[in-house]
Amino acid sequence: MSRPALTRLKASRGHARRPGVWILCAALGAGLADPLAAKTADRDQPAEIEAGHFLDDPQSGTRVFSNGVTMQQGTLNVEAQTATVYVTDGGNLARIVLEGAPVVWREELDSGEKLTARAGLIDYDFDADKVLLEEDVVIDRGPHRISGPSVRYDLKTSKLDSATDQGRIKVRITPQGDAGNP
């Protein structure tokens, strides 16, 4: 029986954006979450990725983790079947695609609230500053929830778009005083 691949990465201080801090709390935009509210201390923590298989292809600039992937950085915990990381010639993150049945993303925000998201696919394009969540998306931040077939978020403009022909989006916003009530 082979041991799972284990990769230890140090967060780049020069590249403050990383999927854990921004992707899902940003996707809760439109008044539900502050995109900068994720646990800022997590950015300085080392990231660990564990998988059943790891393929590093320097010529194509891809690193593929598969056969059950877990990622941890500070309070961030991600579970996926596959994680494909695309890097630039300079070694910076360009894009990360997480696939699973579903991908499960858990993180604590600076506010102390818990953020949990589930989707069949999460695609974060660092170059375009855009995040796409697809396939039975459910994003919970504290008592608030967004669910639907697809959610797109533009980090540059803070535009949240859930336009789809595949179903309807559902948003639950709980008033501050009702946070403990269902």
Side-chain angles (χ1 to χ4, degrees):
M1 184 167 165
S2 66
R3 291 179 48 112
L6 177 64
T7 300
R8 190 168 185 80
L9 304 171
K10 179 66 179 163
S12 169
R13 294 183 200 285
H15 195 279
R17 294 174 304 172
R18 69 162 182 82
V21 171
W22 304 105
I23 187 171
L24 295 176
C25 60
L28 281 172
L32 291 180
D34 176 354
L36 304 176
K39 196 82 163 178
T40 52
D42 285 351
R43 286 183 235 160
D44 295 326
Q45 300 296 317
E48 289 190 10
I49 303 171
E50 186 172 314
H53 184 255
F54 173 63
L55 173 65
D56 185 2
D57 184 355
Q59 291 193 352
S60 70
T62 60
R63 295 180 177 104
V64 180
F65 300 86
S66 59
N67 296 344
V69 180
T70 59
M71 303 168 88
Q72 183 171 6
Q73 184 175 24
T75 66
L76 168 70
N77 289 288
V78 177
E79 299 169 13
Q81 285 302 110
T82 304
T84 305
V85 179
Y86 299 87
V87 294
T88 65
D89 290 337
N92 291 324
L93 284 175
R95 182 175 171 213
I96 185 168
V97 178
L98 302 164
E99 298 175 87
V103 174
V104 179
W105 190 292
R106 293 179 186 93
E107 185 167 17
E108 183 178 322
L109 308 179
D110 277 342
S111 67
E113 287 182 301
K114 306 291 185 195
L115 181 104
T116 302
R118 290 175 178 76
L121 174 112
I122 299 175
D123 184 341
Y124 186 120
D125 186 333
F126 288 91
D127 293 334
D129 273 342
K130 294 186 179 181
V131 180
L132 171 66
L133 295 91
E134 288 190 316
E135 301 171 22
D136 299 321
V137 177
V138 177
I139 305 170
D140 291 309
R141 178 185 181 217
H144 310 298
R145 171 175 278 189
I146 295 176
S147 61
S150 177
V151 174
R152 288 178 282 302
Y153 187 74
D154 186 321
L155 293 162
K156 290 179 186 172
T157 65
S158 297
K159 180 180 177 183
L160 181 70
D161 183 5
S162 63
T164 180
D165 294 334
Q166 302 167 8
R168 296 176 58 83
I169 195 80
K170 184 176 179 179
V171 178
R172 179 183 67 208
I173 303 170
T174 304
Q176 292 277 355
D178 292 342
N181 296 333

